[in-house]
Amino acid sequence: MSLLVVKEGFSTEEVWQQIDELHKLTGKRTEEFTVVLPLGHEHTGHYPFRCCEMSNLFSDMRRMAKERYLKPTSTSHAARPDEGKSSDSRVNLVLMGMSGSGKSASGNTILGQRIFLSEPSSSPVTAECVAMDTDIGGRWVRVIDTPDIFDDDTDSSTKKQHVKKCRELSEGGSTVYLLVMHVSRFTDGERNILKKMEKAFGSKVHEQTLILFTREDDLKQGKKSQEDFMSSFTPDLKKIFAKCGNRCVWFENNAPPSGQVERLMKMVDQMVDQILTCRTKSWSGGSSCW
Ligand SMILES: Nc1nc2c(ncn2[C@@H]2O[C@H](COP(=O)(O)OP(=O)(O)OP(=O)(O)O)[C@@H](O)[C@H]2O)c(=O)[nH]1
Ligand SMILES: [Mg+2]
């Protein structure tokens, strides 16, 4: 729940301005904010955001919680994912890919809740790199959602800012990049995406990357198997896939949980093991892997 607490004497324009700034900063829709009013304040007028007094906040929260589907997980009673853990143990999952490929939707699937804004749109939806930490089977996982960083229409200083933010958010721990693509089309913009990632995050980034294909149900509807799909890869996609060590997972973000996150985490665990082995080798004077 996102709360904007206002004090006595506030003006409606100020609230609008703040909500607009918060929307731009967080990518959350205006309707997702609740404005907490000073005690005894009578609000009139209709706004797209909720307004309530502090005294009503808890009943409002309870009502909102009932409206939502709360997935029972083994970690629901767990403390914060980082409690008692060093940030070295954290696994950072960075969602990369073109606008509309399903980065935010996949982030939400991994988190098991709708945190990142994901919706049909003719223009890019996610504007900033944002992170959310969670606990998956005892692992401290940070999911980092990003905009389409390498979009040709984005100017180079904005690109640099996104890359900087992304690096900051994934500082500490081991990082795995999830290159998100949907199974419907491989587009021109995706042809050089790995090269662009290498330029931004280092020449060995492909060793830390796996491809996450979204919209798996589209394959089923087209009566195609994963193997059929892979055998129809264009030469460019074949190259990207091979460079990423032929690693891929399949997601259907619009379906109930079906083991896809567990399959992803299994692959991530193997990659993290490799990252840690390489790090140990380079510390002990051996050759550095990345
Ligand atoms: N059917 C289906 N739809 C999906 C799937 N993944 C994403 N979508 C839909 O595709 C649209 C775009 O998804 P987003 O998650 O917003 O895409 P994005 O990559 O974050 O896009 P930007 O934020 O613009 O970079 C949304 O309407 C999603 O609901 C999927 O696995 N299956
Ligand atoms: Mg997005």
Side-chain angles (χ1 to χ4, degrees):
M1 191 173 184
S2 306
L3 305 176
L4 174 69
V5 184
V6 294
K7 60 180 179 186
E8 205 63 72
F10 71 94
S11 75
T12 313
E13 285 104 89
E14 266 174 347
V15 171
W16 268 116
Q17 215 176 355
Q18 294 253 14
I19 295 264
D20 197 39
E21 273 168 29
L22 287 167
H23 158 70
K24 284 185 196 143
L25 201 69
T26 62
K28 280 176 186 268
R29 287 173 305 164
T30 312
E31 306 89 86
E32 290 182 54
F33 291 95
T34 297
V35 176
V36 184
L37 302 165
L39 273 182
H41 184 90
E42 276 186 29
H43 79 92
T44 48
H46 294 285
Y47 307 108
F49 40 81
R50 292 163 201 262
C51 291
C52 69
E53 269 184 28
M54 186 62 104
S55 53
N56 299 329
L57 185 62
F58 292 101
S59 57
D60 208 37
M61 276 167 71
R62 260 197 301 276
R63 187 174 49 73
M64 282 174 74
K66 272 188 201 149
E67 282 170 9
R68 294 176 57 163
Y69 167 59
L70 297 177
K71 185 177 149 231
T73 67
S74 55
T75 59
S76 56
H77 301 294
R80 289 168 45 199
D82 55 337
E83 196 162 272
K85 293 179 187 162
S86 138
S87 66
D88 289 347
S89 67
R90 196 180 64 216
V91 180
N92 306 308
L93 301 180
V94 185
L95 294 149
M96 291 268 137
M98 289 188 66
S99 180
S101 57
K103 298 181 293 298
S104 305
S106 303
N108 290 337
T109 300
I110 298 167
L111 292 166
Q113 48 183 325
R114 207 172 175 281
I115 298 290
F116 306 127
L117 181 62
S118 164
E119 59 185 18
S121 168
S122 58
S123 53
V125 171
T126 305
E128 296 291 334
C129 299
V130 278
M132 181 74 189
D133 287 7
T134 190
D135 178 303
I136 303 179
R139 306 173 200 82
W140 175 11
V141 177
R142 171 166 295 181
V143 181
I144 302 171
D145 189 19
T146 69
D148 181 355
I149 298 184
F150 306 112
D151 181 8
D152 289 337
D153 291 341
T154 311
D155 62 77
S156 71
S157 82
T158 312
K159 272 182 199 164
K160 274 185 197 151
Q161 276 172 21
H162 289 322
V163 170
K164 185 169 170 261
K165 180 80 189 284
C166 200
R167 281 172 177 275
E168 280 167 10
L169 291 171
S170 50
E171 235 163 61
S174 308
T175 300
V176 169
Y177 296 87
L178 309 179
L179 177 53
V180 182
M181 295 181 170
H182 63 71
V183 297
S184 302
R185 286 291 176 281
F186 178 66
T187 61
D188 267 357
E190 282 163 319
R191 190 167 296 150
N192 291 321
I193 196 152
L194 201 56
K195 283 198 186 117
K196 291 174 181 170
M197 281 171 64
E198 286 172 357
K199 214 171 153 199
F201 298 101
S203 61
K204 302 253 176 159
V205 76
H206 56 270
E207 295 175 9
Q208 289 165 262
T209 303
L210 68 86
I211 302 181
L212 189 159
F213 288 112
T214 58
R215 298 177 180 261
E216 194 190 4
D217 278 1
D218 284 9
L219 283 188
K220 288 181 193 153
Q221 272 164 25
K223 300 204 169 28
K224 277 192 176 179
S225 64
Q226 294 171 354
E227 290 70 29
D228 293 336
F229 176 70
M230 290 200 279
S231 63
S232 69
F233 277 178
T234 64
D236 289 311
L237 183 52
K238 243 184 225 165
K239 269 188 217 156
I240 293 178
F241 186 57
K243 228 174 164 198
C244 293
N246 297 338
R247 287 179 293 261
C248 74
V249 288
W250 308 82
F251 265 34
E252 175 46 63
N253 291 310
N254 282 2
S258 61
Q260 50 197 8
V261 176
E262 288 73 11
R263 284 192 288 277
L264 165 73
M265 289 313 297
K266 209 169 155 194
M267 196 168 278
V268 166
D269 283 345
Q270 287 169 0
M271 292 170 77
V272 168
D273 277 351
Q274 252 180 309
I275 293 171
L276 295 176
T277 311
C278 286
R279 230 180 252 165
T280 316
K281 267 191 203 162
S282 68
W283 282 336
S284 59
S287 65
S288 156
C289 309
W290 51 69

